[in-house]
Every structure is written in structure tokens, then in C-alpha cells.
Amino acid sequence: MHSKKSGFEKILLVISAAVIAMTVSASAQQIAFTWDDLPSHNALPPGETRVEIGRKIIVAMKEAHMPPVYGFVNGIHTEDEPLSTPMLKEWREAGLPLGNHTWSHTNLNQKPLAEWESDTLKNEALLKSYMENEDWRWLRYPNLAEGDTPQKREDARRFLAEHGYKIAGVTMSFGDYLYNGPYARCVAKKDAVSTAQLETSYLAAADATIDYTRSMSKALFGRDIPYVLLMHVGALDARMLPRLLKLYRDKGFTFVSLQDAEKDPFYKNDLDLSLPSVPDTLEEAMRARNLPLPTRPAPTVDLNSICR
């Protein structure tokens, strides 16, 4: 009897260990959504508005019970496309925060530092008007360009530190922005077959990028870091978001805030800009350690030619 009980207890221990391991693995697969280019991104399909696109994104995130998700603003669009501006108001009314993407999406690698600094500061009045006392001092570099020389990169970090910013890093991106222009063309042509192909390719890209990104994290750290996903407020993104969120859930991800994701040590230098610049993408970290990069997934359709 004693040996049987002992054997049963061993089985329970094995099962408990397996459950704990599965729980740890699942909790480690965390993802923070972030959205760039509010309130206007890429071509607008006939019959849609920027406000409707924003509304679809907000509704999908609310239905998925996601934590508050940052949207990074280019204020210039409130001037060159004023009908898009109410999207920002609805974003805030939904309890979602806004961050700085510079006023006119200035690429630091292509412009003088002073011009980029001025463009960053120009966005602040707009952010303050919507965010008031909440934390809007998160900066998402346009084009993820942090400076084309080591000196420029450090000078930009110093500027951001002086103005109280943190960097909104990116550790997962499946090129969602590439699909929004082709989608607008296909809608204009009323090409349902090509639209369906785009939808399939979009989800396939997201799916393949999960494996691509996780393989780098495992190679670097032997674990999943919490990933920060780069998204854009485009028309196809809004259409696909319910299916995209289901894909991540089915893959074992839980949704976390940008702040919680960046508590991971990987993002330490994005939060404390008094520290020196270090690789802040997984690709950069792989290169720094001379590790071979996995093959980046490619779209399964020709995005340049479809619906031309």
C-alpha cells in the first residue's frame, strides 16, 4: 500500500511539474501591442474614414479585453487631414494613451539632429492637450531610425533623457504597413479574390513572424522576452485585427501593456536613457553576439503588383 501511494504521489508531482512548466511558458509569451502613425496611415480605401478605422481598432481591442495600448501620434495629420483628428479624441475616450512619433514622422537617420529634435518637441502641445497629466513621454522613433552614427544616436538619447522620455522599443513586426496600400487598391477595384489573398498573406506573415522572433529570443536568452509589437493604424489592420488577436491568443500569447513589457531587462536601456545605447532589437542583439539570423518571412503575395 505504501509503495502504491508513493507511486501515485510521484505521478501527481510529475503532473504538477508539467502544469507549472506549461503555465510559466504561457505567461512568458507576452505581447504588447503598439500603434504608429495616428491619426492617419497610408492610403484610404474608398468609402472609409480614418475615424472609422480607429473605431474598428478600438472596438476589437476592447472586445479582447486588452490593457491600455499606446498610439504614437504624428501631429501634422491634424493639419493636412483635419477630418482624421477626431480619431485621437475617440482613442482617449476609450482610455487609450498617446505617445510621441514626432510631428511629421522625421527620420533621424536622414535629417540633422536639430531638425529631429525640433520636430519631436513640436508634437508635445498636441499630446499634452489630449493626455493632460497622464504619461505621454514615450517616443517611438519614426522608421525605427535612432541615428546613423554612434554620436548622433547618443546625442538623441541625451536629448530624450533631458525631456523625460522613454523609448518605445520594437521587438516584433511582421510588416503590417506593407499591406495597407495594396488593400486600398483592391477595394477600389472591387477585387474580392485579391482582397482575400491579402488577408491570407497578412495572417501568414504574422504567424511566421512569431516563430522568427521567438527563435531569436530563445537563441539570445533561452526564453521568451515580452515582445513589443509594432502595428500601424491602416485600413487592413483594422479589418484584420479581430482575426489577428485570435491568432496570438491561439499561439499562447497574453496581452500586456507597453510599460509591463518593458520591465524586462532587455528594455532597460530604453527606459534609462542615461545609460549608453545598446542593441534594442533582437536582430541587433543577434548581430552583436555574432549569432546567425534566421530567415525573415516574406509575404506570400507580390504586394507591389497585386491590384495594379
Side-chain angles (χ1 to χ4, degrees), residues 1-304:
M1 179 68 69
H2 177 73
S3 62
K4 287 183 179 180
K5 183 178 179 182
S6 177
F8 181 67
E9 288 174 343
K10 289 179 180 178
I11 292 172
L12 285 178
L13 286 172
V14 170
I15 293 174
S16 297
V19 169
I20 291 170
M22 290 172 62
T23 302
V24 170
S25 175
S27 66
Q29 287 179 238
Q30 297 176 335
I31 191 165
F33 268 64
T34 60
W35 295 89
D36 278 13
D37 299 353
L38 275 69
S40 172
H41 169 77
N42 214 305
L44 190 63
E48 290 205 56
T49 70
R50 305 294 184 188
V51 175
E52 289 167 346
I53 288 169
R55 199 169 291 156
K56 289 178 186 178
I57 292 171
I58 291 166
V59 168
M61 292 195 297
K62 183 177 180 180
E63 290 179 348
H65 305 290
M66 297 176 72
V69 172
Y70 267 86
F72 292 92
V73 178
N74 300 125
I76 193 172
H77 296 309
T78 64
E79 292 185 353
D80 64 20
E81 198 179 316
L83 291 178
S84 71
T85 304
M87 181 206 223
L88 300 178
K89 182 174 183 289
E90 293 195 11
W91 192 270
R92 290 297 296 130
E93 287 175 345
L96 304 174
L98 299 171
N100 201 335
H101 200 34
T102 78
W103 176 261
S104 58
H105 206 272
T106 296
N107 185 320
L108 180 56
N109 290 2
Q110 299 174 354
K111 298 290 184 178
L113 177 66
E115 183 176 335
W116 174 83
E117 290 177 348
S118 176
D119 207 52
T120 299
L121 294 177
K122 187 175 181 179
N123 223 24
E124 290 191 345
L126 180 66
L127 291 169
K128 289 176 185 177
S129 71
Y130 283 101
M131 289 290 284
E132 297 180 343
N133 295 323
E134 295 189 48
D135 184 13
W136 50 266
R137 286 184 171 87
W138 286 85
L139 186 283
R140 168 64 52 73
Y141 284 101
N143 305 110
L144 305 184
E146 300 187 21
D148 53 334
T149 67
Q151 186 63 54
K152 196 174 185 182
R153 189 164 176 150
E154 294 301 335
D155 288 346
R157 289 175 63 85
R158 189 177 304 109
F159 163 82
L160 292 174
E162 289 170 354
H163 290 84
Y165 280 95
K166 301 169 288 291
I167 295 171
V170 174
T171 44
M172 188 180 292
S173 171
F174 63 90
D176 68 298
Y177 66 95
L178 296 169
Y179 289 81
N180 289 301
Y183 173 68
R185 296 196 302 266
C186 290
V187 171
K189 286 178 175 277
K190 298 180 180 180
D191 188 337
V193 172
S194 294
T195 298
Q197 291 174 346
L198 282 175
E199 293 175 355
T200 299
S201 181
Y202 180 100
L203 289 177
D207 193 355
T209 299
I210 291 171
D211 296 333
Y212 164 80
T213 307
R214 292 190 69 202
S215 69
M216 290 188 290
S217 185
K218 295 293 181 66
L220 288 163
F221 311 114
R223 65 182 177 93
D224 281 294
I225 64 168
Y227 303 105
V228 178
L229 177 68
L230 171 60
M231 296 290 295
H232 297 78
V233 288
L236 185 60
D237 288 300
R239 176 184 176 97
M240 296 300 296
L241 188 54
R243 281 174 276 181
L244 182 66
L245 295 175
K246 182 180 185 301
L247 170 66
Y248 287 116
R249 284 195 301 264
D250 289 347
K251 285 283 189 173
F253 283 91
T254 57
F255 303 120
V256 298
S257 68
L258 173 64
Q259 297 96 317
D260 283 342
E262 291 211 14
K263 289 176 182 176
D264 188 90
F266 179 78
Y267 302 97
K268 179 181 179 180
N269 292 55
D270 283 347
L271 301 183
D272 185 354
L273 300 186
S274 68
L275 298 173
S277 174
V278 296
D280 63 356
T281 68
L282 294 175
E283 287 85 353
E284 286 179 352
M286 292 284 283
R287 293 187 191 100
R289 289 176 52 179
N290 293 316
L291 294 172
L293 285 171
T295 301
R296 178 179 284 277
T300 58
V301 297
D302 185 343
L303 298 176
N304 291 319

